[in-house]
Amino acid sequence: MMKRFFCLLLMLGVIWACGTSAFAISDRAEYVFLKDSEGYFFEQTEGELTFWEAPNVVTGQTRSGGVITLKNESDRTVDFTLASVSLPYDNEAALTYLDAVTLVIEQDGREVYHGPFTRLMDGDRAAIQIAGVPAGESRELKMTVSCAFTYTGAVPSYESLVWTFEPTLEAKPTVPTSPLPDPDPVVDWMMVAKIAGVMLGALVLTCAVVAIVRFIANRRGKHEE
């Protein structure tokens, strides 16, 4: 009987702790790419810190169900890239803790990152990229964090981590253009006049020769008579 009572107390304590943590920290973050009369811009909607912007899971604890939403409300197709995450490099205790915190990021049921928080932005790792988001559509990243059982310290105090996503507009498709028709040739009327004159002269000369030949032929005919 006492064992059941202690188990019930333990369960209520876990539920209370999880409920308190979930109440204090939001589980959603939204980034929106927009276009107005002045051009394109990117913004994060206002909200409370999420559990991946301020990880505070204790040894053996896991927080899941977080969602990052990337919205494209512009008029162009966009690629979204995780450009940076600000880690507390000047806080050794915080880095030790975050090195023990495992981060899992999923997109469409596929893991795009699974590893320590401190390795998320390693230079030799391909950037997390959501490519080809059409205008008016959005994509989601599912977030989970957990703290290793081997971590023996407490959660240190540190500033929240700033996540920065970078949008890239896809190039507009080029429309093939038909070659322009050749312009109408310019008529050289002077040349036309010269050619016409030559042809007319040749015609007159031919007529003259024919007339002379006929005249001579007629004279011969009369003389023979």
Side-chain angles (χ1 to χ4, degrees), residues 99-208:
D99 198 47
V101 174
T102 296
L103 172 67
V104 179
I105 303 177
E106 295 179 286
Q107 180 189 356
D108 298 328
R110 174 177 58 89
E111 286 188 0
V112 293
Y113 180 77
H114 188 151
F117 223 107
T118 52
R119 302 295 180 185
L120 178 60
M121 297 306 299
D122 275 0
D124 58 351
R125 186 192 56 76
I128 294 174
Q129 185 179 66
I130 300 89
V133 182
E137 295 190 13
S138 63
R139 297 291 184 269
E140 290 186 345
L141 297 174
K142 302 294 180 64
M143 312 294 289
T144 300
V145 297
S146 59
C147 185
F149 285 99
T150 54
Y151 181 73
T152 57
V155 178
S157 59
Y158 58 91
E159 292 184 1
S160 60
L161 312 179
V162 178
W163 291 56
T164 303
F165 285 89
E166 184 176 274
T168 304
L169 288 169
E170 288 195 352
K172 287 185 176 181
T174 56
V175 179
T177 56
S178 301
L180 295 175
D182 294 334
D184 294 335
V186 178
V187 179
D188 190 344
W189 293 107
M190 184 64 69
M191 183 61 69
V192 172
K194 288 181 179 180
I195 295 174
V198 172
M199 294 179 65
L200 181 60
L203 180 61
V204 171
L205 181 59
T206 301
C207 291

Side-chain angles (χ1 to χ4, degrees), residues 80-99:
F80 292 112
T81 303
L82 179 60
S84 66
V85 175
S86 62
L87 294 174
Y89 293 108
D90 58 346
N91 188 333
E92 184 177 351
L95 284 178
T96 301
Y97 167 69
L98 291 174
D99 198 47

Side-chain angles (χ1 to χ4, degrees), residues 1-17:
M1 184 69 177
M2 291 297 294
K3 287 184 179 180
R4 291 184 180 180
F5 177 73
F6 283 122
C7 287
L8 179 60
L9 284 179
L10 179 62
M11 184 180 298
L12 290 174
V14 171
I15 293 174
W16 176 85

